[in-house]
Amino acid sequence: MRRLLLALVILALAGCAAGSSRPRLPYDYWYVGIGAPRFMEVWVESVDVIDRRGYAYFDIHGGVVAYNDKTPGWYDGGGKMMPASNVDLPETLFVRWQSLVEPQTYKLRINIPQWVRDEMVKPQRIYCQGSKSWETDYRKIVSIGMAPGGIAKAWVGGPCLSNIEIGRYQAKVDTRGPYEGKTNGQYAWPELEPESAAYIEQHGIPYESW
């Protein structure tokens, strides 16, 4: 009986500890967005996060990105979203992606400044065009745009709030190639979409635009 009671006490304490480890945020989760300039096809292998508690979360986002509708032009925030559930505010982001128009594989570490985390928990009263009403909104979206040459930018924004640029970065080439060298050099798909291929054949890759 004593052993049973001890086990129950340990379980109860463990439950309390687990509950206290949940991030204290004014919303259930924040989001990661991924995107790229139009026609500059990208496949994201992984987005990993270290939050401000020092906890690491792997593969919280990836796959096909969203593309802007400008040609040429920079993708300027938002994009294909994924919630970072039960993850506290980001301290560091790690991104691995395939730039399929080159093709090349890149890896990047993004250190998130404190002002970004401050911005993510600052309530702002704003008229939201989507709902046609006044709302309290937060900049709870951290988005990453990736372009050929390993150039990346990051923004923080909200559903009804504008995006603020966090920074512009130069990624490193991952000499192991796609998927850390586990696919014998094979990229996510071997051929570009016809529209992308036609644009690049006519205009080339506009490296200077980002």
Side-chain angles (χ1 to χ4, degrees):
M1 180 61 71
R2 288 181 179 178
R3 291 181 180 179
L4 177 59
L5 290 174
L6 180 60
L8 291 173
V9 169
I10 292 173
L11 285 173
L13 291 174
C16 292
S20 64
S21 69
R22 291 183 60 84
R24 295 183 177 180
L25 300 175
Y27 36 79
D28 292 333
Y29 36 74
W30 54 279
Y31 291 84
V32 175
I34 51 177
R38 191 177 182 189
F39 301 134
M40 303 296 116
E41 295 184 26
V42 165
W43 175 266
V44 176
E45 293 184 5
S46 65
V47 178
D48 307 325
V49 178
I50 297 177
D51 71 12
R52 63 180 173 179
R53 302 171 297 182
Y55 295 168
Y57 299 84
F58 302 99
D59 297 322
I60 67 168
H61 205 351
V64 177
V65 305
Y67 299 99
N68 72 352
D69 57 0
K70 300 175 184 177
T71 307
W74 183 251
Y75 160 88
D76 57 0
K80 178 187 172 185
M81 300 292 175
M82 185 68 70
S85 182
N86 202 33
V87 181
D88 210 330
L89 299 179
E91 185 83 26
T92 310
L93 297 174
F94 298 91
V95 192
R96 280 180 47 86
W97 79 90
Q98 300 173 18
S99 173
L100 298 167
V101 299
E102 299 180 85
Q104 190 63 268
T105 306
Y106 295 102
K107 58 183 179 180
L108 177 65
R109 170 178 177 153
I110 300 174
N111 295 320
I112 303 297
Q114 181 59 46
W115 71 260
V116 175
R117 289 185 289 276
D118 294 341
E119 190 70 34
M120 293 178 74
V121 294
K122 181 167 63 177
Q124 301 194 50
R125 192 71 177 166
I126 189 169
Y127 184 79
C128 189
Q129 292 295 333
S131 63
K132 305 298 182 184
S133 63
W134 286 91
E135 297 182 9
T136 299
D137 196 12
Y138 294 88
R139 284 190 167 92
K140 56 183 178 181
I141 301 170
V142 176
S143 49
I144 307 160
M146 293 148 279
I151 300 299
K153 288 185 179 181
W155 298 264
V156 60
C160 300
L161 297 168
S162 61
N163 293 308
I164 301 173
E165 186 173 315
I166 299 171
R168 181 181 184 274
Y169 310 91
Q170 175 64 61
K172 296 180 179 180
V173 173
D174 192 332
T175 57
R176 296 171 297 179
Y179 300 106
E180 301 177 322
K182 298 173 184 176
T183 59
N184 298 318
Q186 293 183 359
Y187 284 81
W189 52 85
E191 296 182 359
L192 300 178
E193 292 293 326
E195 285 188 341
S196 301
Y199 177 85
I200 292 169
E201 183 178 355
Q202 182 177 358
H203 302 283
I205 299 175
Y207 289 102
E208 72 282 357
S209 67
W210 44 75

